[in-house]
Amino acid sequence: MTVTKPPPAPALLTGRVLRSRSGRLSVRAHPRSLVVGGVLVVVVLVVAVLMLVTGDYPATVGEVVRTVFGDGPPGLELIVNRFRMPRILVGIAVGVALGVSGAIFQSLSRNPLGSPDIIGFTTGSATGALLVILVFRDTMSGTAGGAIAGGVVTSLVVYMLAFKRGVSGFRLILIGIGVSAMLASVNAFLLSRATLRDAQNAQLWLVGSLNARGWQHVVPVWTAIAALLPIAVVLGKRMMMLEMGDEAAAARGVPVERSRLALLLTAVGLTAVATAAAGPVGFVALAAPQVARRLTGSTGAGLLPAALTGAALLTAADLAGQRLIAPTQLPVGLTTGAIGGLYLAVLLGREWRKGRS
């Protein structure tokens, strides 16, 4: 006698639906999600203020505000406008991108381990960047382009290998882990063949860092966020339908594979842009959607709560890296890796217990 595992329960849609007078536009408002979103915005703002007023050149909030409007102390203007403000803006954008991409990947794979750093897309972006740094010896703009190209190519390879009358989430994760392992070997080979100076520069980038980020990094990453985030939000309704199962989504008129591919490319674009801006920062894409889901009490993948949670986690980790053992500054990738490793161990233990029960 064989026992078949029941299909996953569909995501429950909760909250209140707000419609326009014509009835053409509607939005589902979840009161708890709105409250959590407001709190997360406050957390990000508080962390940003702390990063602006603390450091080797301390300042008051009033001095920072006057500096932003061009009337602050002479030395502080250089510190705030050239170093601290761009770093904060890049950190927020990278956190938003990783949070949204993680939510999409976990929804498509229906697995809490389905994040771009586990599946291997972040590793593919790192491979593209390493090729530019170590082989072509290009500039920082070339490194960003290499990271984006590497992430896109890796995603297409994983998608094609996982495609068999559709894409199964379990198969996507397994193939992604295998591709990630192979790409990690390629990255190690590239580092072993590089000169000591090039290898040091590449390794610094591989850790993931917001150090020395300027306005030339702010504009591209925020432009990409402005282009890709609305697409992700528009596709969010289809994503919720896909969580109910392919057959149920198709019965409701959702083009399953086309929608899945569009969501996948959007998430890959966000991952690649974040990696190009800050390097392969680990575990934010894995943890942010899960933390957001627990905070909001939602059963579905909330893209905007995940985005705000990612921004809060990344900026808080960057602040901790700067202040915990000051004056030594830790790259944000080391801080998120230390926190995320513990979170991954807890998550794996919980999934193992579910499998045993």
Side-chain angles (χ1 to χ4, degrees), residues 257-307:
E257 287 305 322
R258 192 167 59 191
S259 300
R260 186 179 285 120
L261 181 59
L263 284 164
L264 180 66
L265 290 177
T266 303
V268 168
L270 289 169
T271 302
V273 166
T275 306
V281 179
F283 292 108
V284 175
L286 174 70
Q290 295 296 314
V291 173
R293 193 172 286 192
R294 283 166 172 76
L295 290 175
T296 60
S298 174
T299 56
L303 295 182
L304 295 182

Side-chain angles (χ1 to χ4, degrees), residues 45 48-49 52-53 59-73 76-77 80-81 84-85:
L45 291 177
V49 170
L52 286 173
V53 301
T60 65
V61 176
E63 289 175 337
V64 170
V65 172
R66 292 198 303 272
T67 299
V68 171
F69 288 97
D71 191 29
L76 188 60
E77 183 176 358
V80 170
N81 293 332
R84 293 180 182 175
M85 187 68 74

Side-chain angles (χ1 to χ4, degrees), residues 82-152:
R82 181 173 294 185
F83 298 108
R84 293 180 182 175
M85 187 68 74
R87 178 172 185 152
I88 293 169
L89 292 176
V90 172
I92 294 173
V94 170
V96 167
L98 292 177
V100 174
S101 64
I104 293 175
F105 279 122
Q106 290 177 17
S107 176
L108 292 179
S109 63
R110 303 175 199 170
N111 193 310
L113 294 177
S115 70
D117 37 4
I118 299 296
I119 296 177
F121 299 151
T122 303
T123 310
S125 296
T127 302
L130 283 180
L131 286 173
V132 172
I133 295 172
L134 301 178
V135 178
F136 300 104
R137 301 177 183 274
D138 207 335
T139 59
M140 181 60 69
S141 60
T143 303
I148 294 173
V152 172

Side-chain angles (χ1 to χ4, degrees), residues 218-271:
V218 173
V219 175
V221 68
W222 275 103
T223 301
I225 293 294
L228 293 174
L229 186 57
I231 297 175
V233 173
V234 170
L235 293 173
K237 186 175 181 180
R238 294 187 182 183
M239 185 175 67
M240 294 175 65
M241 294 294 183
L242 290 174
E243 287 186 356
M244 300 179 183
D246 291 356
E247 293 182 359
R252 288 166 172 78
V254 176
V256 174
E257 287 305 322
R258 192 167 59 191
S259 300
R260 186 179 285 120
L261 181 59
L263 284 164
L264 180 66
L265 290 177
T266 303
V268 168
L270 289 169
T271 302

Side-chain angles (χ1 to χ4, degrees), residues 21-40:
R21 291 185 177 180
S22 63
R24 295 181 178 180
L25 298 177
S26 64
V27 61
R28 185 175 296 276
H30 192 279
R32 180 171 170 178
S33 297
L34 294 176
V35 173
V36 170
V39 172
L40 289 172

Side-chain angles (χ1 to χ4, degrees), residues 188-210:
F189 173 77
L190 291 173
L191 288 173
S192 68
R193 304 297 297 176
T195 63
L196 180 60
R197 182 177 180 180
D198 289 342
Q200 288 176 335
N201 292 334
Q203 188 61 46
L204 180 62
W205 186 88
L206 283 174
V207 171
S209 175
L210 295 175

